[in-house]
Amino acid sequence: MMKIGNIEIDKPLVLAPMESVTDQAFRIICKRFGADIVFTEFVSSEGLIRDCRKAMRKMEFDQEERPIGIQIYGSNETSMEKSAQIAESMQPDFIDINCGCWVKNVVNTGAGSALLKDLKKLEKILVSVIKSTRLPITIKTRLGWDKNSINIVEVAKIAEQCGVSAITIHCRTRDQQMKGEPDYSWLALVKSSVFIPVIANGSFDTPEKIKHAFEKFGVDGVMIGRGAIGKPWIFLQTKDYLNGKIYKQNMELQNRFRAIREHLELSVKIKGEPKGVIEFRKYISGYLSGLYDASRIRAELMNYKELHPILKRLDEYEEFLLERAEVGKII
Ligand SMILES: Cc1cc2nc3c(=O)[nH]c(=O)nc-3n(C[C@H](O)[C@H](O)[C@H](O)COP(=O)(O)O)c2cc1C
């Protein structure tokens, strides 16, 4: 059983924080499809203390999303401490500190994975944030800066000593950015070095890989990022698989379209028109991937700005595919 504060879940499947992807609508959809824990996109600590609207908005969530963690990033301990207090006022279930972002703009300010090169600073930030809030604090990090400076075991030990409640490990180095093979071999070593829960992350995009992570590396949870984009049902498929059931490889067509419609409607409910439709565009290719004539339809769907016309076009496409399926043509 994995425990973070009051959260107790056996083998949790966690939705990764993803900037510009894991907004409220996407998190709710993933939750409805079985995600156990979700994270907000990362929120800038400097933005929060300046009361920046964009940063404040990113922290909004619905009760349906619980348990949820607000992820913050920064490199200044005072800003991190203050921003943790601001995040706490939103009453999430926990606060996560980003120690893994590879992006230049973030790293150049000393935040994200740059903290892996300055463990004294990391420690100071953890101590300040932990003493400033009553909420559990977790961290999400990488194996190290590059393959010659892997320090994940040391980082996990520091985190535990400071009072961090759980650690998520993206099993790549900062140098690898999002590419190359993750090295999962460190997971078991970290597990045997600390008592806090360890959540594995990095290219876990099939139920088989996720089951393997629980069994082979003994991790407490698995975090899924890109594997959930256009495929939020991966959480339910994985649960079935972990419970020894056969899971459906391909989401049935009607269920897939139901998911698309529900996500789109949620997006519009939360953001209004046309923003909710326009911002939904980035999910379309993922949802339609592998379907007959998907690239032409996707290009067409990119032009819509209002909800009802795009829903109507989706209905027509679904009907077209169902008719093809009925006469035995590929869909
Ligand atoms: C578009 C995108 C945005 C991301 N934004 C964040 C973020 O805000 N905070 C964070 O900790 N990681 C972020 N990540 C990294 C993911 O959380 C995750 O660690 C990474 O994608 C590896 O997991 P995956 O292979 O399952 O996608 C982002 C990744 C992507 C693809």
Side-chain angles (χ1 to χ4, degrees):
M1 188 68 70
M2 191 191 87
K3 194 167 160 15
I4 301 176
N6 295 327
I7 308 166
E8 281 190 43
I9 305 174
D10 189 34
K11 295 197 174 65
L13 302 177
V14 183
L15 173 66
M18 287 184 283
E19 154 83 341
S20 300
V21 177
T22 53
D23 60 10
Q24 218 185 323
F26 186 67
R27 295 194 305 260
I28 292 176
I29 280 294
C30 288
K31 201 75 210 188
R32 290 183 186 169
F33 277 103
D36 294 301
I37 300 175
V38 300
F39 283 61
T40 63
E41 304 161 69
F42 68 178
V43 188
S44 155
S45 55
E46 299 300 334
L48 284 182
I49 57 176
R50 282 199 322 269
D51 202 21
C52 158
R53 265 183 67 185
K54 191 175 162 213
M56 298 301 285
R57 278 242 178 88
K58 279 187 175 179
M59 296 196 300
E60 291 170 4
F61 63 88
D62 190 272
Q63 295 306 311
E64 186 183 350
E65 297 177 51
R66 288 190 186 280
I68 181 167
I70 292 179
Q71 189 189 62
I72 56 173
Y73 72 94
S75 66
N76 176 290
E77 62 199 82
T78 314
S79 308
M80 287 296 275
E81 189 180 318
K82 283 190 191 149
S83 62
Q85 287 165 347
I86 300 170
E88 182 175 16
S89 70
M90 301 296 288
Q91 301 180 352
D93 297 279
F94 61 97
I95 293 172
D96 185 76
I97 298 181
N98 181 310
C99 315
C101 181
W102 66 272
V103 175
K104 251 196 190 144
N105 289 348
V106 171
V107 167
N108 286 347
T109 65
S113 54
L115 292 171
L116 299 179
K117 289 208 294 190
D118 189 347
L119 299 188
K120 282 271 163 284
K121 192 203 270 182
L122 171 66
E123 190 173 347
K124 270 192 196 159
I125 289 177
L126 296 180
V127 169
S128 323
V129 169
I130 287 168
K131 79 167 172 1
S132 74
T133 150
R134 287 188 314 273
L135 287 174
I137 302 298
T138 61
I139 65 169
K140 177 169 177 286
T141 187
R142 288 178 178 249
L143 298 179
W145 182 259
D146 60 25
K147 68 176 191 311
N148 300 316
S149 59
I150 290 181
N151 54 0
I152 186 61
V153 174
E154 195 182 351
V155 167
K157 284 183 180 166
I158 291 174
E160 182 170 67
Q161 276 156 20
C162 292
V164 161
S165 300
I167 178 168
T168 302
I169 305 171
H170 177 185
C171 299
R172 291 188 174 90
T173 59
R174 189 269 168 180
D175 249 21
Q176 286 180 284
Q177 301 178 1
M178 304 293 285
K179 303 178 287 257
E181 283 304 302
D183 181 354
Y184 301 128
S185 65
W186 292 92
L187 291 169
L189 198 60
V190 175
K191 265 305 287 175
S192 63
S193 308
V194 292
F195 294 103
I196 54 173
V198 174
I199 300 170
N201 170 240
S203 299
F204 289 108
D205 51 8
T206 65
E208 289 79 2
K209 281 194 197 172
I210 296 167
K211 186 166 189 249
H212 186 74
F214 281 118
E215 287 173 357
K216 175 102 190 281
F217 313 121
V219 293
D220 301 278
V222 174
M223 177 182 273
I224 305 165
R226 289 163 296 175
I229 301 176
K231 228 175 53 174
W233 44 84
I234 188 172
F235 297 99
L236 283 183
Q237 286 179 325
T238 304
K239 286 195 165 167
D240 278 349
Y241 192 63
L242 291 175
N243 289 328
K245 294 187 203 152
I246 296 166
Y247 71 90
K248 291 200 184 84
Q249 284 281 352
N250 254 327
M251 185 80 168
E252 289 161 52
L253 197 65
Q254 278 142 314
N255 282 333
R256 193 194 297 217
F257 275 86
R258 199 173 303 150
I260 302 173
R261 277 192 287 265
E262 197 174 322
H263 187 171
L264 181 52
E265 279 165 350
L266 263 172
S267 180
V268 170
K269 189 173 159 210
I270 294 164
K271 299 173 189 170
E273 252 173 347
K275 196 171 178 221
V277 177
I278 292 170
E279 292 197 359
F280 182 76
R281 289 176 184 168
K282 58 178 164 258
Y283 304 97
I284 292 176
S285 69
Y287 276 125
L288 302 187
S289 132
L291 292 176
Y292 178 78
D293 211 15
S295 54
R296 193 178 63 81
I297 301 294
R298 186 188 63 85
E300 208 184 296
L301 292 175
M302 291 296 169
N303 297 315
Y304 288 91
K305 290 186 178 153
E306 287 162 0
L307 180 63
H308 289 291
I310 190 172
L311 284 176
K312 187 163 169 277
R313 187 65 191 96
L314 281 165
D315 288 347
E316 286 164 5
Y317 182 42
E318 182 185 4
E319 220 166 279
F320 165 74
L321 292 173
L322 286 171
E323 278 168 16
R324 282 182 65 86
E326 251 175 51
V327 294
K329 291 186 178 166
I330 52 153
I331 56 164

